[in-house]
Amino acid sequence: MEISLFKTLKTGLTKIFANQKIDENTIQDFEDLLLTSDVDLETSELITSKLSNLKFSDTPSLSVIQKLLSEIINEIIFTNSKCINYESNNNPYVILMVGVNGSGKTTTIAKLANRFQQNKKKVLLVAADTFRAAAAEQLNQWSDRIGTEFIRTTDGSDPASIVFESIGFAKNKGIDVIIIDTAGRLQNKSDLMDQLGKINRVLKKHDDEYPHESIISIDATTGQNALKQVEEFNKFTELTGIIMTKFDSNASGGTLVSITNKTKIPILAIGDGEKLDDIKDFDSEKFAKEFVEI
Ligand SMILES: Nc1nc2c(ncn2[C@@H]2O[C@H](COP(=O)(O)OP(=O)(O)OP(=O)(O)O)[C@@H](O)[C@H]2O)c(=O)[nH]1
Ligand SMILES: [Mg+2]
């Protein structure tokens, strides 16, 4: 990750703790700073109360404060820590990708598919977006580039039916990993969310264990609405993980801290660019340091 990440928070920290004092005022200023960095109120209060409970020397240096803060943040975001299992031998290992429009689903799928292929896994990409022909085309192009199998819906048909068929297709072709791309949908559009529930149920008809992963992609530059997205999608397909995208575009970082604290759903990876290898396994300790250290 770039060193310029989370600049607002770091600049603020330097100002607030410059006089090497931790009192009611600095704690209040710090809480305000967390809020402007997209950390929700409850999580901000949790972080500041943990900070106030620590014992300090009279004049703790900024670096000491930062170190303690990074430990506090790590404690919160470490929850259920896990990464994508690129070695999985489930044959097929079924991954469902969901999320709001433009959050980075298709690009992330391409990145994941690429990693699996590098691990000698045979991948099938399934375009279950029946609303936009261009969406299936985008996935098809990635598939050609990476060299995966690809199937799509005929326009206008039920996306759940191609998802159902994909399992038989994968078994016939000896596919190791199926990644299903779904249409972007706003979490408050109930008909579209119901459709997602149907895709999930259709998979379970094949095997209770499917999908092995239900991953939501979240644009890291989204503020507090990101939490709502995770909570709502989780009602229709039980999310096993979150991938945060666009960490290269001015993300404040606080969204990630809030989501992990409130939902306890693990962050699996971070997308930091539009190229195939712009995906990193999530490392909570590294993130926590980068969040507060200069
Ligand atoms: N800078 C940057 N851009 C990204 C990243 N991930 C995705 N994008 C860009 O964000 C835009 C939307 O990405 P898509 O992958 O098409 O998003 P989507 O969720 O599939 O979109 P819909 O299918 O329309 O819902 C594209 O221009 C991507 O190149 C990232 O990590 N960093
Ligand atoms: Mg897409």
Side-chain angles (χ1 to χ4, degrees):
M1 268 181 253
E2 298 293 318
I3 213 74
S4 62
L5 264 181
F6 319 134
K7 216 168 166 184
T8 326
L9 187 104
K10 290 171 185 174
T11 318
L13 271 183
T14 319
K15 282 193 194 129
I16 293 169
F17 296 111
N19 55 0
Q20 304 190 341
K21 221 171 43 180
I22 295 189
D23 57 20
E24 251 173 59
N25 286 335
T26 51
I27 292 282
Q28 188 54 55
D29 287 348
F30 177 51
E31 191 176 309
D32 293 346
L33 177 65
L34 287 171
L35 292 172
T36 59
S37 301
D38 290 331
V39 181
D40 68 286
L41 182 63
E42 200 183 310
T43 309
S44 301
E45 284 173 355
L46 175 69
I47 295 170
T48 47
S49 76
K50 281 175 185 273
L51 183 67
S52 348
N53 287 338
L54 294 175
K55 299 270 171 283
F56 290 97
S57 65
D58 287 346
T59 54
S61 69
L62 180 61
S63 64
V64 166
I65 296 170
Q66 282 169 321
K67 182 163 183 302
L68 293 167
L69 271 177
S70 78
E71 285 167 13
I72 291 173
I73 303 279
N74 187 35
E75 221 177 272
I76 293 172
I77 64 176
F78 185 73
T79 336
N80 296 330
S81 191
K82 84 174 200 194
C83 293
I84 305 252
N85 180 9
Y86 292 103
E87 305 289 340
S88 168
N89 285 322
N90 275 22
N91 302 32
Y93 187 51
V94 181
I95 301 176
L96 179 66
M97 182 69 71
V98 303
V100 302
N101 313 68
S103 58
K105 294 176 292 300
T106 307
T107 313
T108 303
I109 286 171
K111 294 173 182 178
L112 296 180
N114 190 47
R115 291 272 298 262
F116 277 113
Q117 297 262 121
Q118 286 170 348
N119 278 319
K120 308 275 180 282
K121 301 288 179 192
K122 219 172 145 186
V123 179
L124 167 66
L125 300 185
V126 182
D129 185 340
T130 42
F131 302 104
R132 288 191 310 122
E137 202 36 54
Q138 186 190 352
L139 192 69
N140 195 2
Q141 282 173 11
W142 279 118
S143 157
D144 286 346
R145 243 181 91 184
I146 306 164
T148 72
E149 294 281 346
F150 171 78
I151 51 172
R152 69 195 294 173
T153 31
T154 41
D155 293 338
S157 63
D158 185 346
S161 65
I162 191 77
V163 169
F164 187 78
E165 286 165 29
S166 72
I167 305 290
F169 181 96
K171 288 185 172 165
N172 277 334
K173 293 239 176 192
I175 296 285
D176 302 301
V177 183
I178 304 178
I179 313 181
I180 301 161
D181 194 11
T182 58
R185 63 201 78 213
L186 289 175
Q187 73 274 12
N188 57 4
K189 291 267 184 258
S190 61
D191 49 338
L192 291 179
M193 294 304 281
D194 284 341
Q195 186 189 71
L196 203 59
K198 187 172 172 193
I199 289 177
N200 193 51
R201 283 194 301 280
V202 151
L203 283 170
K204 293 207 180 303
K205 267 191 203 159
H206 275 288
D207 190 325
D208 251 3
E209 302 274 296
Y210 294 168
H212 298 101
E213 301 284 352
S214 269
I215 302 174
I216 187 168
S217 70
I218 295 283
D219 178 340
T221 63
T222 312
Q224 309 268 345
N225 186 257
L227 183 61
K228 266 257 134 340
Q229 291 173 17
V230 175
E231 286 169 348
E232 286 304 310
F233 275 86
N234 197 31
K235 290 179 190 162
F236 293 85
T237 175
E238 195 187 337
L239 298 172
T240 57
I242 299 166
I243 295 185
M244 299 212 83
T245 63
K246 311 191 191 182
F247 255 81
D248 52 316
S249 3
N250 249 337
S252 59
T255 304
L256 187 153
V257 182
S258 280
I259 287 180
T260 37
N261 181 43
K262 294 291 250 317
T263 68
K264 312 295 180 208
I265 297 170
I267 307 285
L268 303 172
I270 284 192
D272 58 356
E274 297 179 271
K275 296 192 301 300
L276 278 177
D277 56 1
D278 290 332
I279 188 161
K280 314 278 175 310
D281 287 343
F282 181 60
D283 177 340
S284 66
E285 202 175 321
K286 188 161 175 269
F287 174 93
K289 276 201 178 119
E290 282 171 351
F291 191 55
V292 294
E293 288 182 7
I294 289 149

